[in-house]
Amino acid sequence: MGSLNTIVGVSLVYVAFLFAVAFAAERAAKKGRGNWLNWPVVYTLSLSIYCTAWTFYGAVGYAARSGLEYLTIYIGPSLVLFGWWWGLRRMVRIGRTQRITSIADMISSRYGKSNFLAIAVTLLAVIGTTPYIALQLQSVTTSFAVFAGTGSDQVDLTATALWVAAGLAIFTILFGTRTLDSNERHYGVVMAIAVEAIVKLFALLAVGVFVVWGIADGPADILTRIESSEISTWQIKGGRWAGLIFLSAAALLCLPRMFQVMVVENENEDHLRTASWAFPAYLMIMSLFVVPIAVVGLDLLPAGSNPDLFVLTIPLATGNESLAMLSFLGGFSSATSMVIVASLALATMVSNHVVMPIWLSATGAGGASVSGDVRSVVIQSRRLSIAAVLVLGYLYYRLSGGGSALASIGLISFAGVAQFLPCLLGGIFWRGANRNGAIAGLAVGFILWAYCLLLPSFGTGTFLSAEVMENGLFGLAWLRPQALFGISGLDPLIHAVLWSISLNTFAFFVVSICGIPSPIERLQGAQFVNVFEHSSRAPTWTDGTAKSEDLMVMAQRILGAREAQRVFEREANRQGIPGLLPEPDADFLQVLERELAGSVGAATAHAMIGQIVGGASVSVQDLMAVANETAQIMEYSSQLEVKSDELSRTARQLGRANEKLLQVSDQKDEFLSQISHELRTPMTSIRAFSEILRDNDRLSNREKRKYSGIINTEAVRLTRLLDDLLDLSVLENGQITLDQGRASLREVIEASLDAALNHTEVKLKVIRSRRDEEIMLDTDLDRLSQVFINLIRNAQKYCDADQPELQIHTYESDGVVTVDFIDNGTPIPDGAQEIIFHKFSRVNPQKAGGAGLGLAICREVMHRLGGEVSYLPGQGSTAFRVTLPQQLKIAAQ
Amino acid sequence: MSTGRSMIFLERQTYRRRRLIDWIRMLPIIGLILWLVPLLWPVDGSGQVSTSDAVVYLFAVWFVLVVIKAISSTALARARRAEDAERGKPDQPEQN
């Protein structure tokens, strides 16, 4: 018993050491000095809880019994890690963006935050994991027994198991439930299991090195020993080889404890990249010495010794107490780290998905008036769950008697949790997957697993009678547990995995495609499947009814006052509201739900906010709102397009205006020089001749008359120019008074023709229809005549045809009289058609008659008369159109 | 300014990174095939592969895969850091 005391002492010291490590890590993290806690190597080592006591002790036993088949258990996970880019990366990203707390949370969150699904997954995970925890307890107690020497004292053993379970519960509760938010890493736990990972690796390596170089003569000798041992008779069984690789790969993704360390405790996605090669390397080293130990054990130890304990018994048999002690610690580490993480993961699931919903519905019917401190309830429920999980494991160990070979329980457990695989992978890769499909798949998978694998494993007669095993359920031969549908001869494990996984997948698929998922499911589905495409946006809450204060009260209970206030203040800041209470808009509710989800799981958080906000989170109206928003955005963008078209149109107009301005400015400059020339020419002659008259006394009367005549003509010319300018200025300022009269258009035209064509030598042939011109006008006849005269004179002056002629067309419609003056000269070029109406403009400066004011005056006059004079294009010659109302409206002034 | 030249460099780098990711995607498939090779070994007769050879083969595959994976992962990390530095943006999780 002395040796047993030593081992108890050593394990107590070791446990104390683990406590110290965990404490140190927590303190360092709290003080922000824990950079080393975030090393990728810590993440990789924490993944090593995949290697439990089943690996440490069981792998050697497995190798001794079934040769190299044990490698499949490590090849599968290695492949998954090698393929991190395909699946794990996506899972980790989803876990981080959705603040997933467990695998049950992941599945429930994906399928519309369904609590039913969460409870189902939780229960199935507990069923699948409990035997595994029992297995760990068994391995620890068995190793104690080995040290005790006899291993016969059963009472002692169960007592040991109880103590171990209690110790683990205390450790897990201490370090696993310190922080409520599962998304915050459990630094203490992670650090402790990382240390344990090193211990178990080192222990196994030490035993391996001792076996290869201490007992055998190096690798070559080991290879010969392999050939001569019973392991060499091993023959690969194709079905089991491939099937177990698949099964272990699936288990790595689905085991609650693996999900906990891989996804929930993941601090940085980049760590996964390191783990993608480092973890397979770890597995490789762990399994490297398994065969040598098995071979040497089979050689060395008496026939009938338990190969599951070779790792311990070889050092003991060779009198190597300290190596045996190290080996024991390795096994102890493997077992404890697995139990700690598994119970933590299960407890999170149980408290979030089973205890909290029950507690909420029992006490929280009044919505926001949830009484008591929810925070402490969550923590208490989590602590109780940890204890309950360990008690379950212990009870399972007691009841099962701890007899069966370790590996078989491990594989049965693997096959159980592998049932999550279809709905897990379907959920993150296939948007069509829905809740009913997931439920159907899980139900089919688990029923088949239980019927074909779990129940038969308790032995014929325990749950399934020999009758059922032999002839099938209800005597139906095709329902035999190990030969479903009449297909017999398969390995029972492979048989169960094949049927359960394939029918699980089939049910999942068929039910999924038959149903239409709820809106929230579809939104979650899109978020999960397209996690890399868009930044995450969870389904929105309808705001309005929620009271920020109620939310604050609730959030404080769950997150703790300080954390809750921090979140609220941050959100209020974001909304630009001073103080602590943000508007309960959809964005804020979404953030809050995520925060809460980190503590109590997505489904519960959703339900809690739902109680306060009231009603379903996403209704058809919400979706319509989302659709509307999209439509609005599209509308807005098309409006933008229209606006930008408008802008470019305006810009073009502005460009044209600018061009015109420049032209006008040029014209003005030209006119100024023109006008000074126009003024200067008569002034010069007036000055010259007046000087002659003044200074020259000997001028004849004839000469005097001639010179005064010239002076007079020039003065008249000047006056006319100035009159024109004055006239235009008066017209432009609207200072003229109209002198209304009544006459026929014919009279006005005839008067104008007389005035314009009299005393001119150039002959202009005028073509007109007097009959058409019998239109009575009521307007300022003199002004109209002025316009006509101007147009006729222009034709006379500028028409460059050999036989100049002018056609005058007139007609009247709807009280508007139109008069067209069309000559047969060269048309005015496009660019000048508008400019000719501007002041000071002349098409051809060389052919100067006036100062270029005529048309400008015409336009002003017509404007006054309520009409228009414009160039009439497309006539093949110069043409002007005058339109005016038949009846001048005085009011138009 | 040598913006033009650095853009060409960047695109080339991005291209290399994409192909590196393709290679990383392919690795598990290669691994699976190599590890399923034992299924092809004759079960009995003179051509039977001895257990010790099988051990050596399986671990050799494992070792080579780990080494290649380690090299590719490190190269990927370096490529991303270089690219981020080039763009002058902070380190972000991998997008795909």
Side-chain angles (χ1 to χ4, degrees), chain A residues 145-226:
Chain A
V146 168
F147 268 88
T150 56
S152 56
D153 199 342
Q154 274 296 328
V155 184
D156 257 354
L157 280 188
T158 49
T160 317
L162 189 60
W163 281 115
V164 170
L168 289 173
I170 289 169
F171 184 91
T172 314
I173 286 170
L174 256 185
F175 294 102
T177 59
R178 295 201 127 191
T179 52
L180 179 54
D181 191 341
S182 301
N183 275 134
E184 285 170 24
R185 287 182 76 193
H186 301 104
Y187 288 104
V189 172
V190 169
M191 207 56 221
I193 60 176
V195 167
E196 292 197 293
I198 296 172
V199 170
K200 65 191 174 195
L201 182 69
F202 182 69
L204 200 60
L205 280 184
V207 176
V209 167
F210 170 70
V211 162
V212 174
W213 283 279
I215 299 177
D217 293 331
D221 184 34
I222 286 293
L223 288 179
T224 12
R225 281 179 187 234
I226 289 174

Side-chain angles (χ1 to χ4, degrees), chain A residues 283-294:
Chain A
L283 291 179
M284 179 180 75
I285 299 169
M286 280 299 272
S287 37
L288 192 58
F289 288 109
V290 166
V291 174
I293 294 170

Side-chain angles (χ1 to χ4, degrees), chain A residues 265-280:
Chain A
E265 304 278 352
N266 177 279
E267 179 85 343
N268 183 336
E269 282 175 40
D270 288 343
H271 291 174
L272 202 53
R273 192 175 47 216
T274 309
S276 74
W277 60 268
F279 184 58

Side-chain angles (χ1 to χ4, degrees), chain A residues 827-883:
Chain A
I828 293 173
D830 270 1
Q833 287 172 5
E834 183 57 31
I835 294 162
I836 50 173
F837 290 100
H838 293 189
K839 277 179 281 187
F840 322 128
S841 89
R842 274 178 302 192
V843 175
N844 192 347
Q846 279 79 42
K847 225 175 167 183
L853 292 170
L855 282 173
I857 291 171
C858 289
R859 172 160 280 189
E860 284 303 322
V861 169
M862 288 317 297
H863 192 61
R864 291 295 144 207
L865 298 183
E868 188 78 55
V869 54
S870 57
Y871 184 78
L872 186 62
Q875 303 301 313
S877 55
T878 308
F880 289 91
R881 164 165 291 181
V882 176
T883 54

